[in-house]
Amino acid sequence: MSAENLPILQVIVPLLAAPVCLLLRNGTLAWALATAVGWFTLYAALTLLGSVPEGGLIRYDLGGWEPPWGIEYIVDRLDAYVLVIVAAIGALVLTYARASVAREIQRSQHAAFYAAMLLCFAGLLGIVITGDAFNLFVFLEISSLSSYALISLGRDRRALTASYQYLIMGTLGATFILIGVGLLYMLTGTLNMLDLAARIPELEGNRTAIAAAAFLVVGICLKIALFPLHLWLPDAYTYAPSVVTAFLAGTATKVAVYVLLRFLFTVFGFDAPLNEWVGTLLIALALAGVLVASLVAIFQDDVKRIFAYSSVAQIGYIVLGIGFASVTGLTATLVHLFNHAVMKAVLFLALGAVVYRVGGARLADMRGLGRSMPLTMAALVAGGLSLIGVPLTAGFISKWYLVLAALEAGWWPIAVLVLVGSLLAVIYVWRVVETVYMQPRAAGATEVKEVPWHMLLPIWVLVAANVWFGIDTDLTVGTASGIAAELLGK
Amino acid sequence: MSALGLYNYEIVIVLMMTGFYVVIRSPNLVKKIVGLNIFQTSVFILYISMGKVADGTAPIVEEGARAYSNPLPHVLILTAIVVGVATTALGLALVVRIREAYGSVDEEAIQKQDRVG
């Protein structure tokens, strides 16, 4: 296996492993294969990140067809960075999955479950790595269709309706993206993103180009779950199996944000007159999302739902940075992309451990667990602190750059609103902490033990990452600011 | 271009809005899927229309043909149709499971059951 083939291996290995999982039939073997594939993609992603030259590209022509006629895979530093996020979360979640899946999903469906996970994984990696607009749509649908199936496997019957809602909204979003891509193809006759980027400036002020951009932005924002297009997210995260929630929360919305960055900055170009109103709109919706979703999160009783609404709020922070369209703003977006993936994966994996032992993740179920599951609960608190943005955690770094970006743009009220959002996060995280540590276990509740070490290990690796990237910011902020400058062409 | 020249695109818009309206308004889960299908089909027609070149024939090399239609949008839409079929199948499978779990395919009836339970 030579290094030059890594871009295609990154996608093709999980894609081919999926049917193999199905053929293995045995859940444990399928899990072992899926986990091995997860770690392989992480290795490939890290190698790619290490080998992309600063400001340069790695290009891979599929089947030897020269671009722009053939499909081309392009890896620049943004691609490699997002690939590392997706692959790392995928590898850790799959490592954790075995016991949790054994408890939550029927035995006969285990092999199919891992096959669907790998398909979703391959789709997400494909979206990031491809340099072809239509290919992106196909990968988007691969990952979406498998995630609808994964969500519907939740034990509660509401998982079915949640999955159905997501299917309807997700398909509308994907079709909007398809319309946008079609209009761009009509105007330029190309689907290759770099080729599109070279031709779009000639179209200045063309109404069809503006319509294409509008369709693309709305479609992608549905996938990002940007307020008020987030309606599918809380139910989907709450009722999906724990492993699926952790996986999707760490990867799917992040990849959608990547697609938005790619289209707004690489394809349409930062200077387009269009971006001015898109930027303002994104800032307004992002702030509304932060405040509304945080407020709603405070009043939820299911802890999974609390953190699902918190995800909508955090997506607001991520999109806010895009709205500023400055190097600091985009740095904040990219850093938070990474940090949010790490913190939400901790939180949802820890909740998965609670579901594994207690059977549910409502606040009432979690009373007094601080004593019986100390390590899991400590991880939950660490994730919560990072979510709030306490210094020495990864979350602090993201908030810091976001506030800097707001002040740099001269919009101090936005900086204040970001801090208000953090205070609201303190309230909902505190509700969980208070229940876990200060309330006694309900009378008559069965005694619970700590979860096995192979579930704790991935959780604590992620907790360590939360602290590590709160102190050593070379990998995140260093890479992110470089990418931000590249995106803005500075 | 005359009004008749845009006929395809007018049909696309009518179908798109019809499908979209059905998806949003119909409380019946099966009808929503039908609406989604109409919506997707309108986009297929949009792509196929843009592949047409005036006076072009099918893109097969032959004597006397001077212009060929663009085959690429057709190929793209073949892929999109496959995706659409997969989405429909998955959607209908979900509706079957929802019917088993709730005994209804009406959105409001389902929501009511969840509120009580």
Side-chain angles (χ1 to χ4, degrees), chain A residues 63-147:
Chain A
W65 291 87
E66 264 178 54
W69 296 282
I71 292 171
E72 175 188 35
Y73 282 4
I74 304 174
V75 188
D76 66 4
R77 285 210 297 169
L78 172 61
D79 292 307
Y81 178 75
V82 181
L83 283 175
V84 169
I85 298 177
V86 174
I89 300 293
L92 285 166
V93 169
L94 281 165
T95 311
Y96 165 99
R98 191 170 148 218
S100 176
V101 169
R103 180 78 38 116
E104 290 185 36
I105 288 163
Q106 283 175 23
R107 207 179 159 72
S108 59
Q109 289 176 331
H110 284 182
F113 175 86
Y114 290 112
M117 280 289 268
L118 281 177
L119 278 180
C120 188
F121 196 36
L124 293 170
L125 293 167
I127 295 172
V128 179
I129 210 165
T130 187
D132 182 277
F134 192 82
N135 201 227
L136 184 141
F137 162 77
V138 175
F139 275 125
L140 185 72
E141 283 298 55
I142 291 178
S143 69
S144 304
L145 285 168
S146 38
S147 61

Side-chain angles (χ1 to χ4, degrees), chain A residues 347-369:
Chain A
L347 290 169
F348 281 120
L349 287 183
L351 288 178
V354 173
V355 175
Y356 180 75
R357 279 297 184 216
V358 187
R362 284 171 305 142
L363 275 174
D365 297 323
M366 289 179 64
R367 277 192 212 146
L369 281 186

Side-chain angles (χ1 to χ4, degrees), chain A residues 294-490:
Chain A
S294 301
L295 276 173
V296 175
I298 293 173
F299 297 101
Q300 301 303 314
D301 283 324
D302 188 311
V303 182
K304 262 177 123 177
R305 214 178 176 78
I306 293 180
F307 290 128
Y309 275 107
S310 136
S311 268
V312 177
Q314 301 291 320
I315 288 160
Y317 291 124
I318 294 175
V319 173
L320 188 59
I322 302 178
F324 290 132
S326 64
V327 173
T328 325
L330 282 181
T331 307
T333 293
L334 290 164
V335 171
H336 202 43
L337 214 58
F338 183 94
N339 292 344
H340 181 237
V342 175
M343 60 179 91
K344 269 295 148 57
V346 170
L347 290 169
F348 281 120
L349 287 183
L351 288 178
V354 173
V355 175
Y356 180 75
R357 279 297 184 216
V358 187
R362 284 171 305 142
L363 275 174
D365 297 323
M366 289 179 64
R367 277 192 212 146
L369 281 186
R371 204 151 294 164
S372 35
M373 299 173 75
L375 287 171
T376 312
M377 290 305 127
L380 196 68
V381 173
L385 290 177
S386 192
L387 195 65
I388 297 167
V390 174
L392 295 184
T393 60
F396 174 72
I397 307 292
S398 336
K399 296 270 164 68
W400 175 258
Y401 278 93
L402 207 51
V403 170
L404 273 187
L407 293 178
E408 203 175 77
W411 290 331
W412 62 266
I414 294 184
V416 174
L417 287 176
V418 168
L419 296 177
V420 169
S422 275
L423 289 177
L424 293 173
V426 172
I427 300 177
Y428 59 72
V429 171
W430 175 251
R431 275 190 83 203
V432 178
V433 172
E434 197 249 1
T435 314
V436 166
Y437 285 101
M438 312 215 168
Q439 293 187 13
R441 198 94 185 94
T446 45
E447 270 308 303
V448 289
K449 286 188 307 204
E450 190 53 84
V451 288
W453 66 269
H454 49 84
M455 291 177 87
L456 279 174
L457 188 67
I459 296 179
W460 276 90
V461 168
L462 284 162
V463 170
N466 263 309
V467 178
W468 177 270
F469 292 112
I471 297 167
D472 175 20
T473 57
D474 255 10
L475 178 67
T476 48
V477 178
T479 317
S481 56
I483 297 170
E486 272 171 42
L487 279 177
L488 292 169
K490 281 178 187 162

Side-chain angles (χ1 to χ4, degrees), chain A residues 7-287:
Chain A
I8 185 71
L9 286 172
Q10 178 96 69
V11 179
I12 211 88
V13 169
L15 200 61
L16 290 180
V20 176
C21 268
L22 211 52
L23 292 173
L24 285 175
R25 281 162 178 267
N26 177 315
T28 311
L29 285 178
W31 167 78
L33 177 66
T35 308
V37 167
W39 287 102
F40 166 76
T41 55
L42 179 58
Y43 157 78
L46 285 171
T47 316
L48 283 174
L49 184 63
S51 55
V52 180
E54 208 159 307
L57 304 168
I58 297 177
R59 307 177 80 144
Y60 183 91
D61 305 343
L62 255 72
W65 291 87
E66 264 178 54
W69 296 282
I71 292 171
E72 175 188 35
Y73 282 4
I74 304 174
V75 188
D76 66 4
R77 285 210 297 169
L78 172 61
D79 292 307
Y81 178 75
V82 181
L83 283 175
V84 169
I85 298 177
V86 174
I89 300 293
L92 285 166
V93 169
L94 281 165
T95 311
Y96 165 99
R98 191 170 148 218
S100 176
V101 169
R103 180 78 38 116
E104 290 185 36
I105 288 163
Q106 283 175 23
R107 207 179 159 72
S108 59
Q109 289 176 331
H110 284 182
F113 175 86
Y114 290 112
M117 280 289 268
L118 281 177
L119 278 180
C120 188
F121 196 36
L124 293 170
L125 293 167
I127 295 172
V128 179
I129 210 165
T130 187
D132 182 277
F134 192 82
N135 201 227
L136 184 141
F137 162 77
V138 175
F139 275 125
L140 185 72
E141 283 298 55
I142 291 178
S143 69
S144 304
L145 285 168
S146 38
S147 61
Y148 308 146
L150 287 169
I151 290 167
S152 73
L153 288 171
R155 286 182 303 179
D156 195 303
R157 66 177 177 179
R158 278 170 287 186
L160 296 170
T161 42
S163 168
Y164 181 87
Q165 290 300 344
Y166 185 21
L167 180 132
I168 296 287
M169 296 190 79
T171 308
L172 285 180
T175 312
F176 270 47
I177 294 172
L178 188 62
I179 298 170
V181 171
L183 293 176
L184 284 183
Y185 179 72
M186 271 171 114
L187 287 169
T188 60
T190 180
L191 290 165
N192 184 297
M193 288 183 196
L194 291 181
D195 212 21
L196 276 172
R199 287 166 195 238
I200 280 179
E202 298 163 18
L203 300 168
E204 210 185 325
N206 182 307
R207 287 221 312 255
T208 312
I210 294 174
F215 273 115
L216 282 167
V217 170
V218 173
I220 298 166
C221 284
L222 251 167
K223 282 289 175 189
I224 297 181
L226 177 65
F227 179 88
L229 303 171
H230 68 283
L231 295 171
W232 57 269
L233 188 143
D235 276 347
Y237 280 17
T238 310
Y239 301 119
S242 311
V243 171
V244 175
T245 308
F247 180 67
L248 290 181
T251 55
T253 47
K254 310 294 168 293
V255 168
V257 169
Y258 156 82
V259 177
L260 186 63
L261 285 172
R262 191 46 97 209
F263 273 104
L264 276 187
F265 291 94
T266 309
V267 174
F268 284 104
F270 166 63
D271 297 324
L274 187 82
N275 274 351
E276 203 164 305
W277 64 261
V278 172
T280 319
L281 188 69
L282 288 180
I283 290 180
L285 292 179
L287 281 175

